[in-house]
Every structure is written in structure tokens, then in C-alpha cells.
Amino acid sequence: LHSLPTLINFFRGALARAQEELREAKIRGEWVTTSSESVNILERLKYLTDKTTGWLYTKLSRSLFDAHRTLFGLKVAARVMQEENQLTWEEWQLFVTGAHVDPASNNL
């Protein structure tokens, strides 16, 4: 495990890189103008979150074996879906643990 200051610096670096990518996207014309009236803060946050999540996944998955990379990708995707209210805790628990069937009843 890493220390808290190390993790804080890691995420500061990730945010700085995301901001740099945002600036580059603006230069390439992939982003709307930067005036305060035209930029929606929620759109900017979504963009930064998506870029940071993608960057973290790419960097971390490089150090994982194939089987672990697949599980890591599943966990990241599930977490994103949970944050967007597309996957409930109960659905995730059902997926992880499976359905509980009473062996005494013959219902399959």
C-alpha cells in the first residue's frame, strides 16, 4: 500500500494530465469555447472524470496479468455504472455471489 501523500500526488498528477488533455482538445477544436457562459461545469467534470478513469485503467492494466486485467476492467466498469445509477448494489451482489437457491426446494 502507498502512503496518503503518495496517493494525493498521484491523483494531482492525473488531474494535471487530464487538464492538459482538455487544453489540447480545445486546440484541436474538439471542445466548445471556454467562455463561462458556454461551458457547462457538469460536462467539464464528466470529461475530466472519463479521461482520468481511462488514463488510470490504461496505466494500471499494463502491470496486470491478462486474467487480472479482465477482473480489474470488470470492477472499473461496474463502479462507473454504480456511480451513474445504472447498477444497484443488489444487482452487483447478485452478480458477484450468484443467486442463493434453497437446496431443500426443487425450484431451479
Side-chain angles (χ1 to χ4, degrees):
L1 293 175
H2 296 285
S3 66
L4 182 58
T6 303
L7 291 174
I8 289 172
N9 287 334
F10 178 75
F11 283 110
R12 282 183 181 160
L15 286 175
R17 283 185 288 281
Q19 288 173 341
E20 180 61 30
E21 287 186 24
L22 178 61
R23 281 191 288 275
E24 290 172 5
K26 287 178 189 175
I27 291 170
R28 291 190 304 266
E30 297 172 358
W31 194 254
V32 222
T33 62
T34 58
S35 68
S36 60
E37 296 83 28
S38 64
V39 176
N40 183 350
I41 191 69
L42 294 177
E43 289 177 11
R44 291 181 68 190
L45 287 173
K46 175 90 171 107
Y47 178 82
L48 289 173
T49 302
D50 291 346
K51 286 294 186 177
T52 303
T53 302
W55 182 84
L56 285 172
Y57 173 78
T58 301
K59 298 299 179 188
L60 290 174
S61 66
R62 287 182 185 172
S63 64
L64 299 173
F65 293 113
D66 286 336
H68 299 136
R69 188 176 302 131
T70 303
L71 291 173
F72 177 65
L74 172 67
K75 181 61 179 161
V76 170
R79 185 64 182 164
V80 168
M81 290 178 68
Q82 285 174 341
E83 289 297 320
E84 294 176 353
N85 294 323
Q86 295 176 351
L87 180 67
T88 66
W89 177 253
E90 292 79 17
E91 290 170 333
W92 175 247
Q93 286 301 310
L94 178 65
F95 181 77
V96 171
T97 60
H100 297 286
V101 179
D102 183 13
S105 69
N106 289 326
N107 297 332
L108 296 178

